[in-house]
Amino acid sequence: MYLNKLMLVLSTCFVTGLYAQEHVLDEIVITDLVSKNFNKTQSKIELNDSVVRNHAENLTQLLQFKTPIFFKENGAGMVSSPSFRGTTAQQTAVLWNGIPVNSFLLGQSDFNSMPLKSYDQISVLPGGGGVLKGSGAIGGTIELNNDLYFKNRNQGEFNLGYGSFDTYNAGGRWQVNNQKWSFDVSFNRLDSKNNYKQHKKDWKNKNGQFYSNTVGATLGYKINNKNIVSFYSSTFLDERHFSLVSPNQIPTKYRNYAFRNLLSWQYKTNAFVSELKAAVFSERYQFYDQLPLNQYSEGNVNSLFAKWEGSYKINNHSKLASVVSITNSKGNGHDSGIDAAERTNVEASVLYANQFAEKWHAEVGAKIDYSSDYETPFLYSAGLLFTPTENYELKVRTSKNYRIPTFNDLYWQPGGNLDLKPEESYQVEVNQSYKTKNSAIAANIYYNSVSNLIQWLPTSGGYWGAQNTNKVTIWGAEVFGDYQFQIHQHQFKLSALYAYTHAKNDETNKFQIYVPKHKATFGINYQLNKFSFDVSGLFNGEVYTRTNNNTQYNIDSYFIANAAVDYQITPKYSLAIKANNFTNQAYQTMVERWLPGINYNVQLTIKI
């Protein structure tokens, strides 16, 4: 019966959805068109390239200072995982050019392993997005996209940097484009001894050295005004020694390899758009737990992914869309708890958008899945957009979302549980925004009920096992503001945000761990001719680290601030000097994982 329902939805998708809304073909072509155009009722934070270039050294730092997301870092350069609106790292979806890239083993992404300058667009969508974005889109979604550019252009940029703790970085990007072809290649190398002084200790950060290498490429060909084919590739390799909590601890290290290839065909007319994608992913890790011995455990996952999405413009007021995807993943390991694992997922969504009045826009969506491992829930979303004036918008949205168990949750031995259910989430959100030529302000309030939480708990057999346990209720509010002005040649840009998060376990009546109730940031940017100066600040409130909320083990609140100076020496050369944590604040986001005090970075950019 369940498969019959799935096949009915699949048939509907292919019959009615091989079409898309009108989209004018211009110089820049973006991927994931249907998702972008059927998601107008969800709030969105766009982090454009100027912000990416000038504000942050890595993706974690950018999102920390520009979004409400709280990050847990196991030390500088170590694993960095998000807590989005009181949820876990596994409940944040990460998409690369429309394809989900969270680890099949761990269910999350490491944001310290993602080089900023490899992407043209970085977007953050707070709140549920399961119908369009898939598993894990409970707290929110982070999209990393590369554009195709069809106009004559030949330009390159190289970056050389040196920072505190013997940190070196080198990167570059070269773009060659014309009316028919779009080519983009980038690379990045980061290497650090990472030997900063540990807070309240008489020794420096030990066994914290790391390096990473990233290579990316994008190739697009415009066959004609209706057809474009493109290829995206990304390869990542890193090695990180895990910082010691005590000097006598046994050193360990972790090697990680990720390889992604994506092929896309996009077809567009005035009434319809269709995009077909096929991808091959591979991820592998090696964990050395007895350095300097060369013995390790490892895990491997190879995945095949296919996705079709399209939408049809019924008339000037309404559109119909569908998205269908299939994923097959095979995993194995050595001394890792996973001998062999395989999973196939089929997902199908139907969406409808209607501009039923001049100032009113409505969206509804439904999704049904099939998985070879577990039963999946029926998902839905519905939203309303009201624009009474040119400057003001009101959005109301509700959705049901989910997160599938990871390979570790299902197959790790001992402890994996094949009877796990997906986590489920019911959400409601209201968003208001007001914009003028020089200013913008927005406010969000939300409610989120998450059930079937997957947790690893002690068992009667003496080992830890994965179980569906508690229900969590989360509610909160977010406020954003931006203002820019100019006095003669002096340009100023101001920004700020505040987020309040209340996340409690319904069964224990205790607050969720590693979720600050309060977070606030600000940014001040000043520009004069070839000179610019930037100051940014971040406040994170106190967090619990024990499920019983014993305050003795809490992590204290903290405030950190960064400052940067940029100077355009010539049209081809520019120099940036940055001081991170210039107030020398002692702080941590994970217990006993202290982050650096004041530290510096110098960056030279060469354009060719």
Side-chain angles (χ1 to χ4, degrees):
M1 183 66 179
Y2 189 84
L3 284 174
N4 290 338
K5 291 181 181 178
L6 175 63
M7 294 310 297
L8 177 62
V9 175
L10 287 171
S11 301
T12 304
C13 291
F14 278 106
V15 171
T16 64
L18 282 172
Y19 311 98
Q21 68 182 75
E22 180 176 2
H23 180 83
V24 179
L25 184 68
D26 51 21
E27 296 164 355
I28 298 178
V29 176
I30 59 176
T31 188
D32 214 23
L33 282 174
V34 174
S35 297
K36 292 179 182 297
N37 291 303
F38 278 78
N39 206 28
K40 295 181 179 180
T41 60
Q42 186 171 10
S43 59
K44 191 173 187 178
I45 304 169
E46 295 277 9
L47 303 172
N48 59 42
D49 358 354
S50 63
V51 173
V52 170
R53 284 195 304 267
N54 300 328
H55 180 80
E57 297 168 16
N58 53 55
L59 191 56
T60 296
Q61 193 178 82
L62 175 69
L63 296 175
Q64 274 184 329
F65 282 84
K66 291 295 183 181
T67 74
I69 304 173
F70 171 72
F71 280 88
K72 297 175 291 184
E73 294 185 82
N74 289 299
M78 301 294 107
V79 174
S80 172
S81 54
S83 174
F84 205 155
R85 286 186 169 179
T87 61
T88 66
Q90 292 86 355
Q91 293 167 343
T92 298
V94 180
L95 275 66
W96 171 72
N97 293 303
I99 303 298
V101 294
N102 276 349
S103 168
F104 283 91
L105 292 167
L106 302 176
Q108 66 181 69
S109 293
D110 175 12
F111 287 82
N112 273 341
S113 67
M114 299 178 178
L116 276 175
K117 296 190 178 182
S118 297
Y119 313 111
D120 294 302
Q121 297 183 44
I122 300 175
S123 304
V124 176
L125 290 81
V131 171
L132 275 172
K133 309 304 180 183
S135 171
I138 292 177
T141 302
I142 298 170
E143 297 179 329
L144 310 170
N145 291 324
N146 298 97
D147 294 337
L148 303 176
Y149 188 80
F150 292 106
K151 188 178 180 181
N152 293 333
R153 181 177 66 175
N154 187 344
Q155 64 182 32
E157 181 178 293
F158 293 95
N159 303 281
L160 298 171
Y162 177 76
S164 301
F165 324 121
D166 281 338
T167 301
Y168 301 85
N169 72 281
R173 189 173 183 183
W174 182 38
Q175 298 167 299
V176 180
N177 317 85
N178 58 32
Q179 306 296 324
K180 301 289 287 185
W181 290 92
S182 176
F183 175 72
D184 187 336
V185 64
S186 63
F187 74 92
N188 189 78
R189 165 77 180 189
L190 179 63
D191 191 307
S192 177
K193 288 185 179 179
N194 205 26
N195 54 351
Y196 56 91
K197 187 178 185 308
Q198 288 279 357
H199 177 61
K200 294 183 179 179
K201 298 176 182 178
D202 59 359
W203 48 280
K204 293 184 177 181
N205 189 39
K206 292 187 176 182
N207 198 60
Q209 64 268 32
F210 64 88
Y211 71 81
S212 65
N213 300 300
T214 307
V215 178
T218 303
L219 178 65
Y221 176 65
K222 182 163 68 174
I223 302 171
N224 51 43
N225 285 340
K226 296 181 179 179
N227 292 276
I228 295 173
V229 293
S230 53
F231 174 75
Y232 306 84
S233 181
S234 176
T235 301
F236 175 79
L237 172 67
D238 80 338
E239 178 178 287
R240 281 182 280 194
H241 289 65
F242 290 153
S243 300
L244 305 185
V245 176
S246 64
N248 299 322
Q249 185 180 357
I250 297 175
T252 61
K253 73 175 181 180
Y254 184 87
R255 284 181 176 171
N256 183 44
Y257 169 81
F259 177 71
R260 304 168 189 152
N261 279 333
L262 168 63
L263 184 64
S264 173
W265 168 38
Q266 198 176 99
Y267 176 74
K268 294 184 287 188
T269 69
N270 289 336
F272 111 90
V273 171
S274 171
E275 188 166 14
L276 181 65
K277 296 178 179 179
V280 178
F281 291 174
S282 179
E283 61 174 289
R284 178 186 181 188
Y285 79 85
Q286 294 176 332
F287 177 60
Y288 297 74
D289 62 352
Q290 295 284 335
L291 292 179
L293 298 179
N294 190 35
Q295 60 185 39
Y296 57 86
S297 59
E298 68 176 344
N300 305 274
V301 178
N302 296 307
S303 302
L304 300 175
F305 183 92
K307 180 180 180 182
W308 173 85
E309 58 182 66
S311 75
Y312 176 65
K313 181 180 178 182
I314 301 172
N315 53 46
N316 289 333
H317 305 291
S318 59
K319 306 178 183 76
L320 182 67
S322 60
V323 180
V324 181
S325 67
I326 181 169
T327 308
N328 176 262
S329 300
K330 296 180 180 179
N332 59 73
H334 167 68
D335 289 338
S336 64
I338 297 178
D339 293 325
E342 182 174 0
R343 179 163 68 204
T344 299
N345 279 42
V346 181
E347 305 177 4
S349 304
V350 177
L351 305 106
Y352 177 73
N354 191 301
Q355 187 82 27
F356 61 90
E358 181 183 357
K359 299 177 181 180
W360 294 89
H361 172 86
E363 297 171 346
V364 293
K367 182 177 184 178
I368 191 169
D369 293 7
Y370 165 77
S371 173
S372 59
D373 287 339
Y374 47 82
E375 294 184 5
T376 55
F378 173 78
L379 304 183
Y380 63 82
S381 64
L384 191 64
L385 169 63
F386 176 51
T387 53
T389 70
E390 183 180 354
N391 305 105
Y392 176 77
E393 283 187 347
L394 172 66
K395 298 178 181 180
V396 180
R397 182 179 176 86
T398 183
S399 61
K400 180 182 178 182
N401 311 283
Y402 76 129
R403 180 182 80 85
I404 62 177
T406 67
F407 273 4
N408 285 3
D409 294 331
L410 294 170
Y411 299 110
W412 188 275
Q413 293 300 321
N417 184 354
L418 292 175
D419 295 324
L420 287 175
K421 299 177 182 179
E423 297 175 339
E424 296 185 17
S425 161
Y426 296 86
Q427 300 191 31
V428 178
E429 178 176 351
V430 179
N431 167 265
Q432 296 184 81
S433 62
Y434 182 83
K435 298 180 181 179
T436 66
K437 181 180 179 181
N438 296 320
S439 64
I441 187 170
N444 305 330
I445 57 173
Y446 61 88
Y447 172 87
N448 185 7
S449 176
V450 186
S451 59
N452 294 332
L453 279 180
I454 298 173
Q455 292 183 305
W456 284 73
L457 301 173
T459 68
S460 58
Y463 57 84
W464 291 68
Q467 302 175 29
N468 288 113
T469 56
N470 301 324
K471 179 182 176 183
V472 173
T473 298
I474 307 168
W475 55 269
E478 300 156 345
V479 180
F480 307 82
D482 292 281
Y483 180 63
Q484 57 183 357
F485 61 96
Q486 184 169 341
I487 302 175
H488 302 297
Q489 294 181 317
H490 305 273
Q491 300 178 47
F492 298 87
K493 294 181 181 179
L494 312 177
S495 64
L497 73 83
Y498 169 75
Y500 176 80
T501 307
H502 184 280
K504 257 192 175 182
N505 186 307
D506 290 359
E507 296 185 20
T508 64
N509 199 35
K510 300 296 184 181
F511 287 100
Q512 290 293 91
I513 62 173
Y514 290 106
V515 177
K517 286 185 180 180
H518 306 281
K519 175 180 177 177
T521 72
F522 74 86
I524 303 172
N525 178 263
Y526 167 73
Q527 296 184 36
L528 174 64
N529 300 326
K530 300 178 180 181
F531 169 84
S532 70
F533 176 71
D534 184 87
V535 176
S536 54
L538 164 67
F539 171 82
N540 272 321
E542 184 179 21
V543 300
Y544 294 102
T545 66
R546 297 292 192 272
T547 55
N548 63 4
N549 286 181
N550 187 334
T551 57
Q552 177 183 349
Y553 301 99
N554 282 10
I555 290 179
D556 294 333
S557 61
Y558 61 85
F559 172 79
I560 57 174
N562 301 336
V565 177
D566 296 83
Y567 183 70
Q568 188 77 36
I569 303 170
T570 71
K572 290 186 176 182
Y573 296 90
S574 61
L575 184 68
I577 302 174
K578 186 171 185 180
N580 296 306
N581 190 12
F582 65 76
T583 59
N584 204 30
Q585 172 72 54
Y587 73 106
Q588 57 184 335
T589 57
M590 296 281 289
V591 173
E592 291 301 318
R593 299 293 183 179
W594 294 96
L595 291 155
I598 187 169
N599 61 95
Y600 305 92
N601 180 273
V602 179
Q603 191 87 10
L604 176 66
T605 300
I606 305 170
K607 294 183 178 181
I608 58 173

